[in-house]
Amino acid sequence: MADTHPISWITVIWSMVASACLTLAGVYFIIGLKQKGRPASLLFSLLALTMAAFAGFEYAMMRADSAREFGELQYWIHIPVFTGTLAVIGFTQAHFGTGRVWLAYAACGLRGLADALNFLSSPNLNYAEITALRHIPLPGGETIAAAEGVRGPWAAIDDWALLLTVAYLADAVVSLWRRGGRDNRRRAALVGSGILCFILIAAGSAILIHAGILHMPYLISLPFLLVLLVMSYELSSDVLQAARLARQLEISEAELRESQERMRLAAGAAELSLWLWDIVKDEIWTMEQGRALYGISKDERIDFARFMETLHMEDREAVRESVVQALQGGGDYEGEYRVCLPGVRTRWLAARGRIEFDGSGEPLRMRGVSIDITRRKLAEREVQKQRHELAHLSRVTLLGELSGSLAHELNQPLTSILANAQAAQRFLDREPVDIGEVREILGDIVEEDKRAGEVIRRLSLLFRKGELQHGAIDVNMLVEDVLKLVRSDLVNQGVGVVTTLSPALPMVSGDRVQLQQVLLNLVVNACDAMAGMDRTEREIRIETGTAAANGIRLTVADGGRGIPAEDLERVFEPFVTTKSQGLGLGLSVCRTIVSAHGGTIRAANNPERGACFSLILPTLPERADVRA
Amino acid sequence: MCGPEDTVFLVDDDPAVLKALERLLRSAGLHAMAFGSAQEFLERHDPEAPGCVVLDLSMPELNGLDLQRILAEREPARPAVFLSGQGDIPASVRAMKQGAVDFLTKPVNDDDLLNAVRHALARDRATRTQDADKAEVRRRLATLTPREREVLSHVAAGRLNKQIAADLGTVEKTVKVHRARIMRKLQVRSLAELIRLADRAGLSAPPED
């Protein structure tokens, strides 16, 4: 040993190799600990550790002073040889998985045998006797020791074990390459060839040294540097890859959280819930909120039938039909229905869904959303009720304007009843009593009473605020009824009425009271429009007839001053009136009523003079020739 | 006092009311004629027939008030009783101002109607009698000669025979003869009667000289 040189380069190199091996062994050990069930990293760690040991043994052997020391070192080196072989084969099998298992066992078995035999030999497996230590000079003034001697009896087994190991590894790497695939080939190229090179050099040189052809120290840890390099490269790519994946994962998780938050917010704010119906399996998934909306308990399995059960009885048929329609090709589903929850008032829900079809047009699943619209429905009901009240109020006000006329209508029959009765009383006082006359009188009284009853009945219908009653209405009869009501007023104001009623008109579906209200309003307005005109020019023309596309037309025309062109639409707005004492609600209520009946009302001016209001109402869809 | 030939004319556009009122009047011993409209009444009734008219206020075409106005323009003006189903105060005031006998509201009580009708008939009768009287007086006056008419106006002024003779440039005897003839022609028996008759005929006094 040269003490005079500052530090031997052999020391430096072998130390570096050893520390590199230890470092990587440590790193892969830590990695391996975390990868339960994947022993590759642990095995590599063991291999690297073994190589560090090898480095130590090699250095010691190179610096061996005596043959005996060399022999002893070579004796003990079989331990790392054994662990190293097992580690490299194990790692290759775990990492690649492509080697022939029997070959692996064979190599390990032979190795084990060889190393076992080693411990029975002296000085070691490879040499029966070491005769001399040759000192080989190296650049830089270094010398290293190599043995010379008689080969051991079982030394060949050592070599066979080495060969089997090489065979196994070569086969594993080639199989991996053969397997194909970019990843596999890359691994085969990199790691595989690294290991192969290492083992070829290590085993190859060992065999040659044992055969006495080469006189040099073992070259095992140095070629392992190749493997270290390759594995470090792999490790760094893995680390980089892991970092990138981690970053991506973080981003994805953040996005997912964001999206979930948004969904929860939307769902919470609008009281809605998402659902998904797997049509093939007939299973419905919905958010927790959805279960609450439909009153289904947390763990209950929901299928279509169960969903149907949650619905109000009257709504089931309609929903079933819409779903069937969507399934048969519509694709989109829309519905509004009630759900009945025990102990809770009826809840209105609106649902919308879309169906996903597979390649052959069969429905796969339906995705949708359900929203609680109870508040909206209640508000709609409220509005409806208020409209109803307003119509009633308007009607009563209108009738109030006719009060003189109405009193007159009742007074007429009352007058004749009273006069008849008092006449009868006088006739009965005469001698002889003319029974025939009295009987006639009584007959007339009865008739007049009925007539009064009719008037009252007609009026009370108009005054009441009952529910809308839809029926088939004959428009001509409507005109006649209304004219009867206003007859006295028309007479008082000296207004004449000319009616042109088409015979046999189809019926209209609607509420009689409300339609009477509309016509009454128009007639009263017409009268008012002509209030300032000369008596001879006060005429109202009422016409009925058919309108295009299943409609009935009813027009009320007057001979007044007409309506200014820019006001033809405005007159239907609320609080628009030309009367000094009017609320101006009449026509706006009329429009509301007509719209609710599916019709239209319009104002226009007559060519000669005055205004004309046209009402168009849809006819009854079924048999229009049958009277109610 | 109602004579048997007095007719109550009923005008109303409601046939049931017409029938009932006609019956009521008949049961009270009155003779009634019914018309369904003012137009019909004007065309078909006999203006000379004594009687009154009972009319409804509001009728199409020609209403009660218009009819009343038309009737008021005629001689003799026929008294009217109004019936109305509506308590229209302005209309009722107009009717009364235009000379209606009464304004009743429907349904009308029999006593109220019959009283009003009887008043109307009485008024009609009184008017007719007055008119008849007036006509008679005028007829009698027409039988006087111009001279006799002159003398009459002086006598009606209360002048003495002597004064009249002096005024007319004739003698008292002649005046006395005229006077006797006048009184015979006019069928009066005293001066007072003569003067009353002259008043009724509307003869004015001659101008004071």
Side-chain angles (χ1 to χ4, degrees), chain B residues 155-174:
Chain B
V155 167
R159 300 177 69 80
L160 296 170
N161 289 345
K162 208 179 353 221
Q163 284 166 317
I164 298 174
D167 286 344
L168 295 180
T170 179
V171 297
E172 208 176 322
K173 180 74 183 291
T174 318

PDB file of all heavy atoms in Angstrom, chain B residues 155-174:
ATOM      1  N   VAL B 155    -173.125  98.365 -22.883  1.00  0.00           N
ATOM      2  CA  VAL B 155    -173.912  97.897 -21.732  1.00  0.00           C
ATOM      3  C   VAL B 155    -172.996  97.143 -20.783  1.00  0.00           C
ATOM      4  O   VAL B 155    -173.061  97.310 -19.574  1.00  0.00           O
ATOM      5  CB  VAL B 155    -175.064  96.965 -22.213  1.00  0.00           C
ATOM      6  CG1 VAL B 155    -175.675  96.224 -21.052  1.00  0.00           C
ATOM      7  CG2 VAL B 155    -176.118  97.794 -22.939  1.00  0.00           C
ATOM      8  N   ALA B 156    -172.111  96.261 -21.365  1.00  0.00           N
ATOM      9  CA  ALA B 156    -171.211  95.466 -20.508  1.00  0.00           C
ATOM     10  C   ALA B 156    -170.287  96.358 -19.717  1.00  0.00           C
ATOM     11  O   ALA B 156    -169.876  96.022 -18.620  1.00  0.00           O
ATOM     12  CB  ALA B 156    -170.409  94.506 -21.397  1.00  0.00           C
ATOM     13  N   ALA B 157    -170.025  97.582 -20.276  1.00  0.00           N
ATOM     14  CA  ALA B 157    -169.159  98.505 -19.533  1.00  0.00           C
ATOM     15  C   ALA B 157    -169.898  99.195 -18.408  1.00  0.00           C
ATOM     16  O   ALA B 157    -169.319  99.952 -17.635  1.00  0.00           O
ATOM     17  CB  ALA B 157    -168.594  99.544 -20.502  1.00  0.00           C
ATOM     18  N   GLY B 158    -171.181  99.007 -18.348  1.00  0.00           N
ATOM     19  CA  GLY B 158    -171.965  99.543 -17.228  1.00  0.00           C
ATOM     20  C   GLY B 158    -172.525 100.935 -17.519  1.00  0.00           C
ATOM     21  O   GLY B 158    -172.894 101.682 -16.608  1.00  0.00           O
ATOM     22  N   ARG B 159    -172.606 101.263 -18.785  1.00  0.00           N
ATOM     23  CA  ARG B 159    -173.129 102.619 -19.036  1.00  0.00           C
ATOM     24  C   ARG B 159    -174.662 102.604 -19.047  1.00  0.00           C
ATOM     25  O   ARG B 159    -175.304 101.616 -19.376  1.00  0.00           O
ATOM     26  CB  ARG B 159    -172.593 103.130 -20.373  1.00  0.00           C
ATOM     27  CG  ARG B 159    -171.052 103.140 -20.271  1.00  0.00           C
ATOM     28  CD  ARG B 159    -170.397 103.539 -21.534  1.00  0.00           C
ATOM     29  NE  ARG B 159    -170.576 104.925 -21.888  1.00  0.00           N
ATOM     30  CZ  ARG B 159    -169.872 105.941 -21.364  1.00  0.00           C
ATOM     31  NH1 ARG B 159    -168.963 105.700 -20.427  1.00  0.00           N
ATOM     32  NH2 ARG B 159    -170.104 107.196 -21.760  1.00  0.00           N
ATOM     33  N   LEU B 160    -175.249 103.806 -18.736  1.00  0.00           N
ATOM     34  CA  LEU B 160    -176.700 103.918 -18.710  1.00  0.00           C
ATOM     35  C   LEU B 160    -177.199 104.064 -20.128  1.00  0.00           C
ATOM     36  O   LEU B 160    -176.456 104.483 -21.023  1.00  0.00           O
ATOM     37  CB  LEU B 160    -177.142 105.136 -17.893  1.00  0.00           C
ATOM     38  CG  LEU B 160    -176.750 105.039 -16.391  1.00  0.00           C
ATOM     39  CD1 LEU B 160    -177.018 106.407 -15.737  1.00  0.00           C
ATOM     40  CD2 LEU B 160    -177.580 103.964 -15.698  1.00  0.00           C
ATOM     41  N   ASN B 161    -178.489 103.680 -20.281  1.00  0.00           N
ATOM     42  CA  ASN B 161    -179.106 103.802 -21.627  1.00  0.00           C
ATOM     43  C   ASN B 161    -178.881 105.178 -22.189  1.00  0.00           C
ATOM     44  O   ASN B 161    -178.600 105.359 -23.373  1.00  0.00           O
ATOM     45  CB  ASN B 161    -180.597 103.482 -21.545  1.00  0.00           C
ATOM     46  CG  ASN B 161    -180.802 101.987 -21.292  1.00  0.00           C
ATOM     47  OD1 ASN B 161    -179.876 101.202 -21.461  1.00  0.00           O
ATOM     48  ND2 ASN B 161    -181.984 101.623 -20.898  1.00  0.00           N
ATOM     49  N   LYS B 162    -179.126 106.197 -21.310  1.00  0.00           N
ATOM     50  CA  LYS B 162    -179.006 107.588 -21.747  1.00  0.00           C
ATOM     51  C   LYS B 162    -177.627 107.863 -22.313  1.00  0.00           C
ATOM     52  O   LYS B 162    -177.486 108.427 -23.388  1.00  0.00           O
ATOM     53  CB  LYS B 162    -179.249 108.486 -20.512  1.00  0.00           C
ATOM     54  CG  LYS B 162    -179.805 109.829 -20.880  1.00  0.00           C
ATOM     55  CD  LYS B 162    -180.082 110.754 -19.704  1.00  0.00           C
ATOM     56  CE  LYS B 162    -179.942 110.196 -18.378  1.00  0.00           C
ATOM     57  NZ  LYS B 162    -180.971 110.592 -17.441  1.00  0.00           N
ATOM     58  N   GLN B 163    -176.634 107.333 -21.585  1.00  0.00           N
ATOM     59  CA  GLN B 163    -175.243 107.582 -21.989  1.00  0.00           C
ATOM     60  C   GLN B 163    -174.949 106.863 -23.289  1.00  0.00           C
ATOM     61  O   GLN B 163    -174.284 107.385 -24.168  1.00  0.00           O
ATOM     62  CB  GLN B 163    -174.295 107.089 -20.893  1.00  0.00           C
ATOM     63  CG  GLN B 163    -174.255 108.008 -19.710  1.00  0.00           C
ATOM     64  CD  GLN B 163    -173.580 107.329 -18.518  1.00  0.00           C
ATOM     65  OE1 GLN B 163    -173.837 106.147 -18.226  1.00  0.00           O
ATOM     66  NE2 GLN B 163    -172.752 108.073 -17.837  1.00  0.00           N
ATOM     67  N   ILE B 164    -175.456 105.675 -23.363  1.00  0.00           N
ATOM     68  CA  ILE B 164    -175.201 104.890 -24.585  1.00  0.00           C
ATOM     69  C   ILE B 164    -175.812 105.606 -25.780  1.00  0.00           C
ATOM     70  O   ILE B 164    -175.201 105.717 -26.851  1.00  0.00           O
ATOM     71  CB  ILE B 164    -175.803 103.471 -24.451  1.00  0.00           C
ATOM     72  CG1 ILE B 164    -175.126 102.724 -23.294  1.00  0.00           C
ATOM     73  CG2 ILE B 164    -175.629 102.708 -25.770  1.00  0.00           C
ATOM     74  CD1 ILE B 164    -175.742 101.380 -22.991  1.00  0.00           C
ATOM     75  N   ALA B 165    -177.061 106.117 -25.577  1.00  0.00           N
ATOM     76  CA  ALA B 165    -177.731 106.818 -26.687  1.00  0.00           C
ATOM     77  C   ALA B 165    -176.876 107.995 -27.128  1.00  0.00           C
ATOM     78  O   ALA B 165    -176.664 108.216 -28.328  1.00  0.00           O
ATOM     79  CB  ALA B 165    -179.124 107.277 -26.246  1.00  0.00           C
ATOM     80  N   ALA B 166    -176.390 108.699 -26.129  1.00  0.00           N
ATOM     81  CA  ALA B 166    -175.575 109.866 -26.461  1.00  0.00           C
ATOM     82  C   ALA B 166    -174.323 109.426 -27.195  1.00  0.00           C
ATOM     83  O   ALA B 166    -173.976 110.018 -28.232  1.00  0.00           O
ATOM     84  CB  ALA B 166    -175.213 110.600 -25.183  1.00  0.00           C
ATOM     85  N   ASP B 167    -173.691 108.335 -26.745  1.00  0.00           N
ATOM     86  CA  ASP B 167    -172.445 107.859 -27.371  1.00  0.00           C
ATOM     87  C   ASP B 167    -172.657 107.430 -28.798  1.00  0.00           C
ATOM     88  O   ASP B 167    -171.826 107.677 -29.659  1.00  0.00           O
ATOM     89  CB  ASP B 167    -171.888 106.665 -26.595  1.00  0.00           C
ATOM     90  CG  ASP B 167    -171.281 107.108 -25.281  1.00  0.00           C
ATOM     91  OD1 ASP B 167    -171.019 108.306 -25.128  1.00  0.00           O
ATOM     92  OD2 ASP B 167    -171.047 106.203 -24.410  1.00  0.00           O
ATOM     93  N   LEU B 168    -173.734 106.722 -28.986  1.00  0.00           N
ATOM     94  CA  LEU B 168    -173.930 106.170 -30.342  1.00  0.00           C
ATOM     95  C   LEU B 168    -174.701 107.118 -31.245  1.00  0.00           C
ATOM     96  O   LEU B 168    -174.970 106.801 -32.395  1.00  0.00           O
ATOM     97  CB  LEU B 168    -174.706 104.841 -30.236  1.00  0.00           C
ATOM     98  CG  LEU B 168    -173.934 103.737 -29.496  1.00  0.00           C
ATOM     99  CD1 LEU B 168    -174.762 102.460 -29.432  1.00  0.00           C
ATOM    100  CD2 LEU B 168    -172.612 103.455 -30.216  1.00  0.00           C
ATOM    101  N   GLY B 169    -175.162 108.243 -30.724  1.00  0.00           N
ATOM    102  CA  GLY B 169    -175.889 109.207 -31.570  1.00  0.00           C
ATOM    103  C   GLY B 169    -177.273 108.690 -31.898  1.00  0.00           C
ATOM    104  O   GLY B 169    -177.715 108.794 -33.031  1.00  0.00           O
ATOM    105  N   THR B 170    -177.906 108.122 -30.907  1.00  0.00           N
ATOM    106  CA  THR B 170    -179.280 107.677 -31.155  1.00  0.00           C
ATOM    107  C   THR B 170    -180.055 107.926 -29.880  1.00  0.00           C
ATOM    108  O   THR B 170    -179.543 108.461 -28.894  1.00  0.00           O
ATOM    109  CB  THR B 170    -179.329 106.182 -31.515  1.00  0.00           C
ATOM    110  OG1 THR B 170    -180.672 105.804 -31.715  1.00  0.00           O
ATOM    111  CG2 THR B 170    -178.715 105.326 -30.435  1.00  0.00           C
ATOM    112  N   VAL B 171    -181.396 107.581 -29.960  1.00  0.00           N
ATOM    113  CA  VAL B 171    -182.221 107.905 -28.806  1.00  0.00           C
ATOM    114  C   VAL B 171    -182.276 106.745 -27.840  1.00  0.00           C
ATOM    115  O   VAL B 171    -181.949 105.595 -28.189  1.00  0.00           O
ATOM    116  CB  VAL B 171    -183.652 108.306 -29.228  1.00  0.00           C
ATOM    117  CG1 VAL B 171    -183.615 109.584 -30.075  1.00  0.00           C
ATOM    118  CG2 VAL B 171    -184.271 107.159 -30.024  1.00  0.00           C
ATOM    119  N   GLU B 172    -182.652 107.070 -26.643  1.00  0.00           N
ATOM    120  CA  GLU B 172    -182.758 106.085 -25.584  1.00  0.00           C
ATOM    121  C   GLU B 172    -183.689 104.939 -25.944  1.00  0.00           C
ATOM    122  O   GLU B 172    -183.442 103.778 -25.632  1.00  0.00           O
ATOM    123  CB  GLU B 172    -183.256 106.782 -24.301  1.00  0.00           C
ATOM    124  CG  GLU B 172    -182.763 106.063 -23.035  1.00  0.00           C
ATOM    125  CD  GLU B 172    -183.190 106.846 -21.816  1.00  0.00           C
ATOM    126  OE1 GLU B 172    -183.165 108.079 -21.879  1.00  0.00           O
ATOM    127  OE2 GLU B 172    -183.545 106.196 -20.823  1.00  0.00           O
ATOM    128  N   LYS B 173    -184.800 105.313 -26.603  1.00  0.00           N
ATOM    129  CA  LYS B 173    -185.784 104.294 -26.963  1.00  0.00           C
ATOM    130  C   LYS B 173    -185.149 103.219 -27.829  1.00  0.00           C
ATOM    131  O   LYS B 173    -185.349 102.014 -27.607  1.00  0.00           O
ATOM    132  CB  LYS B 173    -186.936 104.982 -27.737  1.00  0.00           C
ATOM    133  CG  LYS B 173    -188.065 104.058 -28.196  1.00  0.00           C
ATOM    134  CD  LYS B 173    -188.945 103.646 -26.996  1.00  0.00           C
ATOM    135  CE  LYS B 173    -190.004 102.680 -27.416  1.00  0.00           C
ATOM    136  NZ  LYS B 173    -191.038 102.857 -28.151  1.00  0.00           N
ATOM    137  N   THR B 174    -184.371 103.674 -28.831  1.00  0.00           N
ATOM    138  CA  THR B 174    -183.712 102.733 -29.739  1.00  0.00           C
ATOM    139  C   THR B 174    -182.778 101.808 -28.943  1.00  0.00           C
ATOM    140  O   THR B 174    -182.744 100.598 -29.162  1.00  0.00           O
ATOM    141  CB  THR B 174    -182.894 103.500 -30.795  1.00  0.00           C
ATOM    142  OG1 THR B 174    -183.637 104.610 -31.252  1.00  0.00           O
ATOM    143  CG2 THR B 174    -182.542 102.593 -31.967  1.00  0.00           C
TER     144      THR B 174
END
